[in-house]
Amino acid sequence: MQKQTKKIVTLLLLLCIDPLSGLFAQSISLESNTLAGTKDQLPFWLWANQLGQFDKNSSIIQNFSLNAFHAQQIGASDFSYKVGLDLDLLLADENDIRFTQLFGATSWKFLQLQIGAFPEDEVYAGLSTTNGNLATSRNARPHPRIRAGFNRFVPVLVDWFSINGFFEEGLLNDNRYVKDTHLHYGVLNLRFGKPETLQVTAGVEHLVMWWGTHPEYGELQGWEAYFSYLTAQAGSENALEFDQNNAMGNSYGTYQLTINKNWDKLNATVYISHPYEDHSGMDLVNAVDNLYGIHLSFDKENAFLQNILLEYFHTKDQSGPYHFGQNPDKDAPSRGNDDYFNHGVYRSGVTYHQMAMSSPLFAPIIIEDGISLGFENNRFTGFHIGAMGFITESFRWKGLFTYSNNYGHHDGLGGSTYDPSQKQVSALAQVSWQPPTKKLSISASVATDRGSVYDNGVSTTRLGSMVSFKYHFSK
């Protein structure tokens, strides 16, 4: 039955190529990925940051993917549009066929409107553990949303100061604890400096889970409480008691800071992502919790080392181990135990289709009756190294290495739910080949994990591999 399904869907994908090639003349490709892992799971770097395509709990996966993209200016006007899709067939423990991406966008000058399921743009050559942002990554499948905002940084009054941002509303329509949860996402970035000098970009990103249907309380407040959700106000007398005592909905986000400098042959970026769950995080009570990174990109054709990235991450503090009246020190702030990306009402937390929408290092996800119930571990420290470059003109290499020391949660008594802490090491090595015609590319990856985070505290070594073929049909 599985072989028949594979043949039928493969035929359908091939039949789609001809009509799509007219619409998506710029880019259309067919991709095959074969993955395997030992001990009933894939190693971390075979499933993390793959737009939710691969389930880590499958030991063998066959994936076929049809990708298409087209962008075009409309005549001599200031209007343009772009459309894209990613249709995936997965043959694993549970077969699935789905649109991982399906979106359209239109722009006028510096303004843009996007509709559909689309991912965040990839930064830092795809080498970061979380695309440079602790709260929003490319780990989970894109969810349906509408985004309105700027398509680039726009100068304001002077050429050395510009702004960028957007306002977005989305729907988390997966199988989750609060069904049909809405997700608001707002971003504002301020940039100082010119490209030929030093540029400093500071921004704030705010996300709120709101509305939806709770299994116990029924339908939660919707548009009538929208302003309270967005401004993180306490709920009215019509709201849940939890929301009356706290902010409405599940608010979280990050402060983002990047410093960029260009030289003739080198581009350097230093970045910091600071998470917050409530006012204590926004007030920097948890100032030690950050993702720190540096990315170096070398402008030299076919260089052996083209990109290198270093990251250090720390989420262990979380504004202290006690929350509200639990603190035995009367003089200390009664805030703390932020419990990043988990929530008491929206219990599925910052997940979508049982994968982290935040950094994939927030893991493992607790699953009960097929529903995600947040993260078992969100307090960790560690570092990450990623690099890539050319071996020859046709052969490229890529390497990733990640170490983390994991503490679970604050236990409310000044300790940690992981005691002793659980250490985890994950690594990947990849070689890819693309001939001068650029039509075909082939890559082979090997990955390994060593640690106890994904095995209930038992230290386990896991191996895995992936072989990928990609053919470009575009002209």
Side-chain angles (χ1 to χ4, degrees), residues 147-388:
R147 175 182 293 182
F150 298 156
N151 56 21
R152 62 180 183 272
F153 276 88
V154 180
V156 178
L157 300 179
V158 291
D159 59 358
W160 53 265
F161 174 65
S162 56
I163 64 172
N164 193 3
F166 58 80
F167 189 94
E168 173 185 296
E169 289 298 335
L171 179 66
L172 303 181
N173 57 346
D174 58 334
N175 188 20
R176 57 194 303 111
Y177 191 77
V178 177
K179 296 186 181 300
D180 295 326
T181 296
H182 289 236
L183 180 62
H184 164 77
Y185 186 16
V187 172
L188 177 63
N189 291 311
L190 308 179
R191 176 169 289 177
F192 305 87
K194 301 180 181 180
E196 61 270 19
T197 59
L198 185 74
Q199 284 190 317
V200 178
T201 305
V204 59
E205 304 198 356
H206 181 221
L207 299 99
V208 188
M209 291 183 182
W210 62 285
W211 206 353
T213 303
H214 192 279
E216 181 179 352
Y217 305 122
E219 185 175 358
L220 304 178
Q221 287 188 293
W223 290 108
E224 71 275 13
Y226 186 64
F227 184 76
S228 296
Y229 282 119
L230 261 58
T231 55
Q233 295 183 24
S236 66
E237 60 181 11
N238 296 323
L240 299 179
E241 183 178 353
F242 185 93
D243 285 344
Q244 293 180 35
N245 296 327
N246 299 276
M248 288 283 289
N250 178 17
S251 287
Y252 62 97
T254 60
Y255 293 137
Q256 298 286 127
L257 177 67
T258 63
I259 303 172
N260 181 261
K261 172 66 176 174
N262 284 308
W263 289 273
D264 288 342
K265 298 293 183 179
L266 173 65
N267 177 277
T269 303
V270 176
Y271 54 95
I272 301 174
S273 179
H274 173 77
Y276 65 83
E277 280 278 344
D278 53 26
H279 288 291
S280 62
M282 298 185 74
D283 295 343
L284 302 181
V285 177
N286 62 339
V288 297
D289 286 345
N290 295 286
L291 168 73
Y292 302 93
I294 180 170
H295 173 235
L296 303 178
S297 176
F298 301 93
D299 186 14
K300 183 179 179 182
E301 188 175 3
N302 300 329
F304 179 77
L305 181 60
Q306 191 176 54
N307 289 274
I308 184 168
L309 177 142
L310 306 174
E311 288 184 339
Y312 171 75
F313 38 83
H314 186 292
T315 67
K316 186 181 175 183
D317 180 70
Q318 305 209 12
S319 302
Y322 302 101
H323 185 61
F324 294 112
Q326 298 174 349
N327 197 334
D329 185 353
K330 302 291 186 182
D331 298 325
S334 59
R335 303 189 289 186
N337 195 3
D338 291 336
D339 201 12
Y340 296 152
F341 308 138
N342 287 326
H343 196 259
V345 175
Y346 294 88
R347 291 186 58 196
S348 290
V350 185
T351 68
Y352 185 61
H353 285 287
Q354 302 181 1
M355 298 197 75
M357 303 173 73
S358 58
S359 167
L361 294 172
F362 290 91
I365 294 174
I366 304 167
I367 307 293
E368 291 184 11
D369 299 325
I371 295 176
S372 61
L373 296 179
F375 302 106
E376 182 180 295
N377 169 61
N378 58 16
R379 297 178 60 237
F380 49 80
T381 62
F383 65 90
H384 167 77
I385 302 172
M388 62 188 302

Side-chain angles (χ1 to χ4, degrees), residues 391-453:
I391 301 173
T392 67
E393 182 180 357
S394 300
F395 283 91
R396 302 187 67 171
W397 67 273
K398 175 181 177 180
L400 303 171
F401 180 88
T402 309
Y403 167 82
S404 63
N405 197 8
N406 302 272
Y407 300 88
H409 302 282
H410 287 302
D411 63 4
L413 302 173
S416 303
T417 56
Y418 286 1
D419 188 13
S421 62
Q422 298 181 10
K423 298 175 176 60
Q424 189 77 20
V425 174
S426 301
L428 175 138
Q430 181 185 91
V431 177
S432 59
W433 172 75
Q434 186 173 39
T437 61
K438 306 295 185 181
K439 290 286 187 179
L440 174 69
S441 61
I442 302 173
S443 67
S445 305
V446 292
T448 183
D449 287 350
R450 173 66 181 176
S452 52
V453 169

Side-chain angles (χ1 to χ4, degrees), residues 19 24-25 34 74 96 119 212 234 367 428 470:
F24 297 98
T34 305
I74 301 177
D96 192 15
I367 307 293
L428 175 138
K470 189 171 186 178

